[in-house]
């Protein structure tokens, strides 16, 4: 499997989607979802120009981050899985971004546990946009209350929103969810103009075109870069 070639194909897809949406490719960043993938695979992606990586499992992500510490590599690590309270310290101490924030209690823990010598932890609020009981995330109506709470935490930096809509191949349904997210994102920007609200993380392999058309600034792609995931370990 050629990770470099896969990355190029994904970037071409993003570029095509940007052209269709009259956006520049610099407006959309690619988060390579590296859960269950080896440090060798991550290094191959890094050597092919990829810098941002997303991990769903705390312990696995921390082990990878520690593997690359002290090596001369400039990686940015995003936590993109559901977070239990008892694992918050590991995320606060090791990751650069936390994309799935959906509770004030977790926000408080991350803020208290973030090392003072590190920059504030970049966070996104996860919205349960398709109202699925199986998914994490808050209801849209709760967004502003949580955002205002985060704004007052000095070791967190609120950067925007994240969503994982219900999977569908119907592009109209895809767009419906993403347009709702875009409206919430703009509402958040208007409500908190003093914050650096610049990131709308939405869109994966099967729906990135619709996501980019609806204003996504970050797409999360795993299998198309690294191949099928291996859960046997």
């Amino acid at each position: 499997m050629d990770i470099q070639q896969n990355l190029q194909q994904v970037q071409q897809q993003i570029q095509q989607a940007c052209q269709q949406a009259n956006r520049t490719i610099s407006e959309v960043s690619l988060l390579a979802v590296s859960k269950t993938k080896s440090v060798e695979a991550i290094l191959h992606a890094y050597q092919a120009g990829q810098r941002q990586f997303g991990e769903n499992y705390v312990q696995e992500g921390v082990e990878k981050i520690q593997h690359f510490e002290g090596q001369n590599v400039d990686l940015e690590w995003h936590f993109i899985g559901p977070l239990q309270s008892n694992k918050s310290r590991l995320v606060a101490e090791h990751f650069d971004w936390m994309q799935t924030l959906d509770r004030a209690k977790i926000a408080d823990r991350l803020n208290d546990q973030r090392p003072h010598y590190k920059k504030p932890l970049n966070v996104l609020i996860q919205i349960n946009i398709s109202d699925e009981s199986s998914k994490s995330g808050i209801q849209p109506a709760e967004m502003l209350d949580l955002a205002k709470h985060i704004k007052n935490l000095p070791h967190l930096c609120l950067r925007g929103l994240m969503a994982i809509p219900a999977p569908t191949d119907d592009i109209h349904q895809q767009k419906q969810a993403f347009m709702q997210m875009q409206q919430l994102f703009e509402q958040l920007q208007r409500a908190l103009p003093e914050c650096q609200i610049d990131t709308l993380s939405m869109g994966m392999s099967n729906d990135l075109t619709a996501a980019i058309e609806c204003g996504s600034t970050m797409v999360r792609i795993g299998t198309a870069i690294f191949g099928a995931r291996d859960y046997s370990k």
Side-chain angles (χ1 to χ4, degrees), residues 130-195:
S130 302
D131 197 18
E132 295 176 275
S133 57
S134 62
K135 286 226 179 99
S136 305
I138 59 167
Q139 295 299 310
E142 301 171 297
M143 174 188 74
L144 285 181
D145 282 345
L146 182 55
K148 287 170 183 170
H149 182 84
I150 294 166
K151 185 190 80 158
N152 293 318
L153 299 174
H155 305 297
L156 301 185
C157 179
L158 179 61
R159 298 289 294 272
L161 303 176
M162 179 266 209
I164 310 168
T168 174
D169 292 328
D170 182 329
I171 194 147
H172 297 294
Q173 284 182 359
Q174 290 175 2
K175 282 189 193 172
Q176 201 173 7
F178 290 142
M179 281 163 70
Q180 278 180 274
M181 284 301 300
Q182 185 180 30
Q183 287 163 4
L184 288 168
F185 183 62
E186 290 170 356
Q187 183 188 349
L188 185 61
Q189 287 177 318
R190 287 195 300 272
L192 299 177
E194 69 278 23
C195 294

Side-chain angles (χ1 to χ4, degrees), residues 199-210:
T199 304
L200 181 55
S201 172
M202 61 184 192
M204 297 188 276
S205 297
N206 66 326
D207 57 11
L208 71 81
T209 301

Side-chain angles (χ1 to χ4, degrees), residues 15-230:
Q15 188 159 14
Q16 211 171 358
C18 286
Q19 283 170 346
Q20 286 175 17
N22 286 324
R23 298 179 65 193
T24 61
I25 194 163
S26 61
E27 292 175 54
V28 183
S29 58
L30 169 61
L31 184 70
V33 179
S34 46
K35 66 175 178 182
T36 81
K37 296 301 167 188
S38 66
V39 290
E40 289 78 18
I42 292 169
L43 186 60
H44 284 313
Y46 172 80
Q47 288 166 342
Q50 181 63 28
R51 294 292 177 270
Q52 296 171 302
F53 293 88
E55 290 287 331
N56 290 61
Y57 308 117
V58 177
Q59 200 63 50
E60 181 193 339
V62 169
E63 285 170 12
K64 291 174 182 175
I65 293 167
Q66 289 176 328
H67 171 85
F68 286 107
E69 271 170 8
Q71 299 186 32
N72 192 20
V73 291
D74 175 27
L75 300 180
E76 183 178 278
W77 295 96
H78 294 238
F79 185 72
I80 57 172
L83 182 62
Q84 299 163 309
S85 298
N86 63 348
K87 300 274 181 71
S88 63
R89 180 176 295 279
L90 287 169
V91 170
E93 289 179 347
H94 295 281
F95 283 83
D96 303 299
W97 286 69
M98 159 54 168
Q99 290 207 13
T100 50
L101 192 49
D102 62 359
R103 278 169 290 163
K105 176 188 169 187
I106 295 282
D108 290 339
R109 287 178 70 93
L110 291 168
N111 178 68
D112 293 344
Q113 294 165 340
R114 183 70 170 173
H116 290 257
Y117 58 84
K118 288 199 162 192
K119 291 179 187 170
L121 179 67
N122 295 298
V123 297
L124 302 180
I125 294 173
Q126 182 176 359
I127 306 287
N128 189 346
I129 199 64
S130 302
D131 197 18
E132 295 176 275
S133 57
S134 62
K135 286 226 179 99
S136 305
I138 59 167
Q139 295 299 310
E142 301 171 297
M143 174 188 74
L144 285 181
D145 282 345
L146 182 55
K148 287 170 183 170
H149 182 84
I150 294 166
K151 185 190 80 158
N152 293 318
L153 299 174
H155 305 297
L156 301 185
C157 179
L158 179 61
R159 298 289 294 272
L161 303 176
M162 179 266 209
I164 310 168
T168 174
D169 292 328
D170 182 329
I171 194 147
H172 297 294
Q173 284 182 359
Q174 290 175 2
K175 282 189 193 172
Q176 201 173 7
F178 290 142
M179 281 163 70
Q180 278 180 274
M181 284 301 300
Q182 185 180 30
Q183 287 163 4
L184 288 168
F185 183 62
E186 290 170 356
Q187 183 188 349
L188 185 61
Q189 287 177 318
R190 287 195 300 272
L192 299 177
E194 69 278 23
C195 294
Q196 190 185 345
I197 309 294
D198 58 6
T199 304
L200 181 55
S201 172
M202 61 184 192
M204 297 188 276
S205 297
N206 66 326
D207 57 11
L208 71 81
T209 301
I212 288 170
E213 188 179 328
C214 297
S216 171
T217 70
M218 181 178 289
V219 293
R220 307 181 304 271
I221 310 291
T223 307
I225 297 169
F226 295 110
R229 296 196 179 103
D230 177 11

